[in-house]
Amino acid sequence: MSSNVGPMDLNAGRSPLYLDFTGASISRDSGEHPAPFNRSRTLGAAPSIVLPHQQYVNHFAVDIGGSLVKLVYFSQDDDQESNGDSFGGRLHFVKFESSRLPLLFDFIEKKEMHLLEDGVEGMKPVVKATGGGAYKHAEEFQERLGLEIEKIDEIESLVTGANFLLSVIEAEAFTFFKGKKEYIRTSNESNDNSNLFPYLLVNIGSGVSLLKVDGYNQCERVSGTSLGGGTFWGLGRLLTGCKTFDELLELSTKGDNSLVDMLVGDIYGGLDYEKIGLEASTIASSFGKILTDNEKTLADYRPADIALALCRMISYNIAQIAYLNAMRYNLKRIFFAGFFIRGHPFTMDTLSYAIDFWSKGEMNALFLRHEGFLGALGAFLTYEEGIPSSINKSLAESIDSRANFVERFTGNPPPKGKTASPGGKAGAGKSGRDWVEKFIEVGKLSDALTGQAQLSESSADTLGGNEEASPNQGISEYDLWGGETCMSASCSGLEVGVLHVDPSLNQFPLLSDAASYEVSVVDISKDEEQRSYWIGVLENQLDVFADKAIASQGGTDEARKNYDGFKWTFSSHLEKLRKEPHAYGKFGLCELLEMREECLRDYGFKDSYLSNKESENAAALKVLPDLLNELDSLEESKRLLALIEGVLAGNIFDWGSIACVELYKNGTILDIYKQARSNLKSRPWRVDSFDVFREEMLDRTTTHKRYRRAILFVDNSGADVLLGMLPLARELLTRGTEVVLAANSLPAVNDITAKELRSLMQDVSKVCHIIRGGLEEGRRLYNQYKQMPDVQEINPSSPPYTPLYIVENGQGGPCLDMRRVSRQLALAAKGADLVVIEGMGRAIHSNYNTKLNCDTLKLAMVKNQVLAETLFGGDIYDCVCLFEKCT
């Protein structure tokens, strides 16, 4: 069958539904710019028919299965305004047991997701639902929540959800073979996902459906089998006595199928059947060994052995059918999904082994991290108005839509107005505990469920164990963690986070090879030694950050409690990654450093180093005029060297480095800067291509060929930016090069933000006419064009000053992820022919190996001994000056 499915098909898959034509009229609006939260249902082209009494709750959808209910819902960011072109917020993934459906209703009521913003009394809001339970429980949704269920086809939902995730989540698909997990890319060099299709999607539910997916708007069911998850569960229950599906899966991990299955070695005296390539351990006949002993009964066999033999029998059968269909339709990729998998390592390993066996190693079984939520997500995306429509529009129109979505795993505080927001006075509820205490209790519950801690009575109450006494009734551990928590001790370590949606982000357009871009230089997920070291470093820094973080919230008891919450939360993430390095997908050191900042913000620590940044800026500003005069007195060649030395010396100011924290204890900012300048390691530096850079600059002076526009990624506040990067920017301005200073969007340690830099530059303008004139010219051009202008041509009538711009870089951590930068920075990159990346986080931890389609200068002082040894065989305080010509 053919089905119009997928997020790019905006009018796809309209199933029969209840329509209320009361008061219907012809719209006089062209309909070109519908408001996302206009609850009037609008169908067709302009002029459209308006159905004022057809109400939709378009910010959540559900997939109601036999064992689990999966919920996908959208929460809008407080600082975002939704309109036809912009939206921002978070997609949450939550699950509940189907047998505890009232908890789902409690959850929806708690978050008021069932209420219409512009509803009229007597209206019946409609919500999208898929799965067999959408029919079974429709009346309960109506009676409890007043919601009308619109049923969406399961296959349509499944494929739509899969296409969306494979399009926007970089670490969505992975292989799992012999216990080893590897994430794969599904985009090509153009990063447009065109090489994703066609693929085979094997949905293993009670039965099995094999779907050939040819694109965003079509799929076809090409085969299937009745031997699926229901077969495994049904026979397993009869043969082992297990009461739940998860119990049966868990039991299989303790089994030995060779005591039940007949193996090739059993037939050939323990030897391989080499002639046809069968190893002795290959299963020749599932459950065949039972026939060799007529005296034994069911009671003589271990339930665990039976469970594993059954699991492998079903898995091998499914995998063979999948492989044969892939060969029939010439498909190179096979994705497995459905409740049978559930992140279970034995199941995935068995399917992987079978695909590898039948394909002779030429194909891999592929799995999805969000596989349990495909249906709910697909149903969510079938709304044709509101946020889902805006998401679909973004996917359809943006060539780098992947930049608009990033998955995060930090916990989120309750919504504003419900209980206290972080940093404020916490609401205690009936139990006398605030949200921080409840959050930690939830974490302890999660540990207890995996045998790592004792569950307190209050924890059970919090999560509905005692619903009468529960102060947080209906709020599950999944919600507080922002996703799906793995409860099984044998879980493969898959976590589902919150999908942040930000349409203001773009891929950095100067990336030479966007498809293979890796933000982190150190891969802590694969290198156990590096992982252990860096997790240890971050754990040790927790006490270093404490005083400043607590002081930033006034040093109160509430602040100390918030910091304890942050410390516990972040430590829990570190411990999880230590044990399960792939738990959060493809997670490198840069992602880990940003996670720390996210956790701090979750607990209200928005800018712990603000006072330090202000004092360091003031101190550096005092000596800036003398430094500029000194630089102006040097001839060009010496001045260029002095500028680069100034950047390297200034980069020593980094509160994120333990070594530098010690320096702060022993001197003022000016003392440290002077010492750094005088003690700067002699050339050649550890990485030194300064001579090539100087030759390029001198040649451009001689030939009167300027760099047209330079983007400078700045790092720390104080001496780093004022005495290092700013003089370099000033030098470029005097050469006729437009300069774009790109600074953090959000605070991270002592990194300067774009907002802070704009304010600081007003003070700089008072002592430097070049900076003042550049800012004024940049402001004039920006106001003229209403956005970042193109590079301006220079002619006799050009203004006397070269424009200087300050933009946000789209980052909230100490590194630089070029997969997601601000729209203004992406626009600024148009016409740029020089990029300067400064700082250990942005130029070493990230982007050291990154190639750009322009000349690139990377400058940093390495303030970590292990990093220096790993990358360069060097020492702490080694300098990096790497100039790369665009080829």
Side-chain angles (χ1 to χ4, degrees):
M1 68 177 180
S2 294
S3 175
N4 290 328
V5 296
M8 286 195 174
D9 187 359
L10 305 186
N11 296 309
R14 299 293 300 145
S15 57
L17 62 130
Y18 152 89
L19 293 176
D20 187 346
F21 286 95
T22 305
S25 62
I26 302 296
S27 172
R28 301 301 178 188
D29 193 334
S30 66
E32 293 180 355
H33 302 287
F37 286 106
N38 179 0
R39 299 300 180 183
S40 296
R41 188 64 169 170
T42 318
L43 302 174
S48 56
I49 299 175
V50 177
L51 305 179
H53 298 291
Q54 184 65 26
Q55 301 290 330
Y56 277 75
V57 181
N58 67 12
H59 47 271
F60 82 93
V62 290
D63 178 3
I64 311 173
S67 59
L68 293 174
V69 179
K70 282 78 67 177
L71 168 71
V72 171
Y73 72 95
F74 184 89
S75 63
Q76 191 169 336
D77 288 343
D78 295 326
D79 57 351
Q80 292 273 359
E81 291 185 5
S82 277
N83 54 58
D85 300 315
S86 180
F87 63 97
R90 306 177 182 189
L91 271 173
H92 303 257
F93 302 86
V94 191
K95 69 177 182 180
F96 299 84
E97 292 181 4
S98 298
S99 60
R100 304 182 72 187
L101 202 60
L103 284 182
L104 170 66
F105 297 149
D106 292 342
F107 183 89
I108 292 172
E109 287 182 330
K110 185 81 174 181
K111 292 188 175 291
E112 299 181 350
M113 290 191 286
H114 62 307
L115 302 180
L116 294 167
E117 293 185 2
D118 301 315
V120 179
E121 187 176 355
M123 302 283 176
K124 288 186 177 182
V126 179
V127 66
K128 306 274 188 171
T130 189
Y135 298 87
K136 180 179 179 181
H137 300 289
E139 290 187 7
E140 295 175 65
F141 273 83
Q142 173 63 52
E143 293 172 0
R144 174 70 186 270
L145 302 173
L147 293 175
E148 191 88 19
I149 292 291
E150 179 185 341
K151 304 169 184 68
I152 305 299
D153 178 75
E154 287 190 65
I155 289 180
E156 174 188 339
S157 300
L158 183 77
V159 175
T160 299
N163 284 342
F164 173 81
L165 291 167
L166 290 170
S167 298
V168 305
I169 304 296
E170 184 171 3
E172 177 62 29
F174 65 94
T175 62
F176 193 91
F177 191 41
K178 297 181 178 179
K180 185 179 181 181
K181 187 184 304 175
E182 292 283 347
Y183 289 93
I184 68 161
R185 294 179 182 270
T186 54
S187 61
N188 60 13
E189 292 183 1
S190 301
N191 212 28
D192 62 4
N193 301 296
S194 62
N195 70 331
L196 171 60
F197 307 108
Y199 66 84
L200 188 69
L201 180 61
V202 183
N203 184 41
I204 313 175
S206 297
V208 182
S209 289
L210 282 77
L211 310 170
K212 182 167 74 76
V213 184
D214 294 308
Y216 285 108
N217 58 358
Q218 60 180 346
C219 76
E220 180 183 2
R221 187 181 188 275
V222 293
S223 186
T225 173
S226 61
L227 302 181
T231 310
F232 173 67
W233 192 354
L235 287 177
R237 185 172 182 179
L238 284 176
L239 297 174
T240 68
C242 289
K243 301 299 183 184
T244 68
F245 188 84
D246 285 324
E247 182 185 355
L248 183 60
L249 283 176
E250 179 71 17
L251 181 64
S252 70
T253 66
K254 304 170 184 176
D256 179 359
N257 69 298
S258 67
L259 301 177
V260 177
D261 292 335
M262 182 177 291
L263 309 182
V264 168
D266 295 328
I267 301 173
Y268 294 97
L271 301 177
D272 297 341
Y273 191 170
E274 296 181 356
K275 187 174 182 179
I276 58 174
L278 294 177
E279 297 179 356
S281 59
T282 303
I283 297 174
S285 175
S286 293
F287 290 86
K289 191 169 288 186
I290 293 176
L291 299 176
T292 64
D293 192 341
N294 294 328
E295 300 298 323
K296 285 187 176 182
T297 64
L298 178 61
D300 295 316
Y301 293 93
R302 291 198 318 146
D305 300 337
I306 293 174
L308 180 57
L310 189 58
C311 178
R312 291 191 169 174
M313 180 183 75
I314 300 296
S315 298
Y316 287 166
N317 181 66
I318 294 171
Q320 184 176 16
I321 295 173
Y323 169 72
L324 292 174
N325 276 276
M327 290 297 96
R328 178 186 178 190
Y329 294 102
N330 194 29
L331 305 176
K332 302 300 183 184
R333 287 176 171 169
I334 306 175
F335 292 94
F336 290 90
F339 87 92
F340 178 66
I341 297 172
R342 305 276 281 278
H344 191 268
F346 269 47
T347 305
M348 294 189 295
D349 219 22
T350 302
L351 290 167
S352 297
Y353 174 83
I355 293 295
D356 180 77
F357 175 83
W358 292 113
S359 70
K360 294 180 170 55
E362 294 183 0
M363 296 181 68
N364 294 314
L366 301 173
F367 306 95
L368 303 174
R369 291 182 50 251
H370 292 78
E371 59 89 13
F373 291 94
L374 300 185
L377 179 59
F380 176 84
L381 290 168
T382 60
Y383 286 106
E384 295 172 17
E385 62 179 28
I387 289 299
S389 175
S390 297
I391 291 175
N392 285 333
K393 183 179 180 182
S394 173
L395 286 171
E397 297 180 353
S398 177
I399 61 172
D400 56 354
S401 59
R402 184 167 285 188
N404 299 153
F405 304 89
V406 58
E407 190 177 18
R408 305 198 189 283
F409 300 89
T410 59
N412 298 296
K416 289 183 179 180
K418 306 299 181 185
T419 58
S421 60
K425 183 179 173 68
K430 289 186 282 187
S431 68
R433 293 174 295 136
D434 63 20
W435 77 265
V436 175
E437 292 169 318
K438 294 174 184 176
F439 188 90
I440 294 176
E441 284 294 326
V442 168
K444 292 178 179 178
L445 170 62
S446 180
D447 288 342
L449 289 170
T450 55
Q452 298 172 12
Q454 295 299 315
L455 175 61
S456 67
E457 292 181 5
S458 59
S459 299
D461 290 347
T462 300
L463 292 146
N466 180 355
E467 295 183 11
E468 284 292 320
S470 172
N472 216 10
Q473 185 175 357
I475 302 298
S476 72
E477 68 270 27
Y478 312 115
D479 177 57
L480 286 176
W481 278 110
E484 181 181 14
T485 301
C486 184
M487 298 302 179
S488 169
S490 64
C491 178
S492 64
L494 289 174
E495 291 291 326
V496 174
V498 175
L499 191 60
H500 289 233
V501 185
D502 189 344
S504 68
L505 298 180
N506 293 80
Q507 179 180 282
F508 191 57
L510 293 177
L511 280 173
S512 177
D513 184 4
S516 62
Y517 174 74
E518 297 284 354
V519 59
S520 294
V521 174
V522 177
D523 189 345
I524 61 173
S525 65
K526 293 182 178 179
D527 191 322
E528 184 176 355
E529 183 177 350
Q530 290 286 337
R531 180 170 64 252
S532 177
Y533 171 75
W534 286 107
I535 287 177
V537 167
L538 292 173
E539 287 175 334
N540 292 335
Q541 286 182 338
L542 289 173
D543 291 334
V544 175
F545 287 161
D547 291 343
K548 295 189 179 300
I550 294 170
S552 72
Q553 287 190 2
T556 63
D557 290 341
E558 188 70 26
R560 291 184 177 86
K561 182 163 61 176
N562 285 343
Y563 192 81
D564 288 341
F566 153 74
K567 184 177 180 180
W568 181 89
T569 301
F570 187 54
S571 296
S572 298
H573 286 299
L574 293 177
E575 185 60 25
K576 187 170 190 66
L577 285 169
R578 178 182 277 118
K579 295 177 180 178
E580 304 167 13
H582 294 284
Y584 302 140
K586 197 168 187 178
F587 214 72
L589 180 57
C590 294
E591 288 87 353
L592 189 54
L593 291 171
E594 185 163 5
M595 175 183 274
R596 178 184 64 189
E597 301 303 321
E598 292 164 6
C599 287
L600 283 166
R601 286 190 284 269
D602 282 342
Y603 283 88
F605 300 104
K606 306 298 184 184
D607 195 354
S608 300
Y609 287 80
L610 178 60
S611 62
N612 296 90
K613 291 189 290 184
E614 291 174 341
S615 62
E616 290 176 10
N617 286 338
L621 194 60
K622 291 179 181 179
V623 299
L624 178 62
D626 291 339
L627 174 62
L628 296 180
N629 289 333
E630 177 186 327
L631 290 169
D632 289 343
S633 68
L634 301 175
E635 59 90 14
E636 184 180 12
S637 180
K638 292 182 179 179
R639 186 171 69 250
L640 290 171
L641 177 59
L643 286 166
I644 299 304
E645 287 178 337
V647 173
L648 294 174
N651 194 233
I652 198 172
F653 296 94
D654 186 351
W655 279 96
S657 165
I658 293 294
C660 297
V661 171
E662 293 302 316
L663 292 177
Y664 278 105
K665 294 179 180 179
N666 299 318
T668 67
I669 179 175
L670 296 181
D671 292 334
I672 300 170
Y673 179 72
K674 291 176 182 177
Q675 180 182 351
R677 286 294 299 262
S678 62
N679 295 341
L680 201 67
K681 293 190 177 183
S682 59
R683 296 189 61 211
W685 297 312
R686 180 62 61 178
V687 177
D688 191 343
S689 52
F690 168 75
D691 289 340
V692 181
F693 171 70
R694 177 165 55 185
E695 182 180 348
E696 176 69 22
M697 296 293 284
L698 294 175
D699 181 66
R700 286 176 178 269
T701 300
T702 303
T703 59
H704 302 286
K705 183 180 179 182
R706 63 167 180 148
Y707 278 114
R708 291 165 53 80
R709 175 177 286 177
I711 297 177
L712 277 59
F713 289 96
V714 299
D715 190 9
N716 304 304
S717 298
D720 192 8
V721 65
L722 282 172
L723 307 184
M725 289 295 281
L726 186 61
L728 179 60
R730 178 175 176 267
E731 173 73 18
L732 290 168
L733 288 171
T734 62
R735 293 167 173 264
T737 299
E738 296 186 8
V739 174
V740 179
L741 297 176
N744 257 28
S745 299
L746 296 174
V749 200
N750 64 320
D751 293 355
I752 194 166
T753 66
K755 181 180 180 180
E756 293 164 348
L757 185 57
R758 292 189 187 100
S759 176
L760 182 61
M761 294 300 272
Q762 299 308 310
D763 294 326
V764 174
S765 295
K766 298 174 183 178
V767 299
C768 178
H769 69 91
I770 297 173
I771 297 297
R772 181 177 64 253
L775 288 172
E776 290 174 353
E777 179 61 13
R779 190 178 303 114
R780 183 188 70 80
L781 290 170
Y782 195 92
N783 291 335
Q784 176 182 339
Y785 292 99
K786 307 304 181 184
Q787 65 175 12
M788 177 62 65
D790 293 340
V791 177
Q792 303 297 297
E793 297 298 329
I794 293 181
N795 53 57
S797 62
S798 296
Y801 291 103
T802 307
L804 169 64
Y805 306 97
I806 300 173
V807 301
E808 294 184 5
N809 60 15
Q811 311 295 299
C815 297
L816 173 60
D817 186 350
M818 292 190 176
R819 295 171 300 185
R820 300 174 184 89
V821 301
S822 71
R823 181 169 298 162
Q824 289 302 314
L825 178 54
L827 289 172
K830 183 180 180 181
D833 48 3
L834 174 64
V835 169
V836 181
I837 308 175
E838 183 237 1
M840 190 169 74
R842 292 166 183 80
I844 305 296
H845 282 312
S846 59
N847 299 303
Y848 182 72
N849 299 317
T850 299
K851 305 299 181 185
L852 301 179
N853 291 323
C854 66
D855 290 358
T856 309
L857 179 63
K858 299 171 184 176
L859 300 168
M861 179 180 285
V862 185
K863 291 151 288 191
N864 180 277
Q865 180 66 36
V866 171
L867 184 65
E869 292 174 356
T870 301
L871 296 184
F872 322 112
D875 298 310
I876 193 169
Y877 302 129
D878 271 343
C879 295
V880 172
C881 176
L882 178 62
F883 181 64
E884 298 169 307
K885 285 282 295 177
C886 177
T887 57

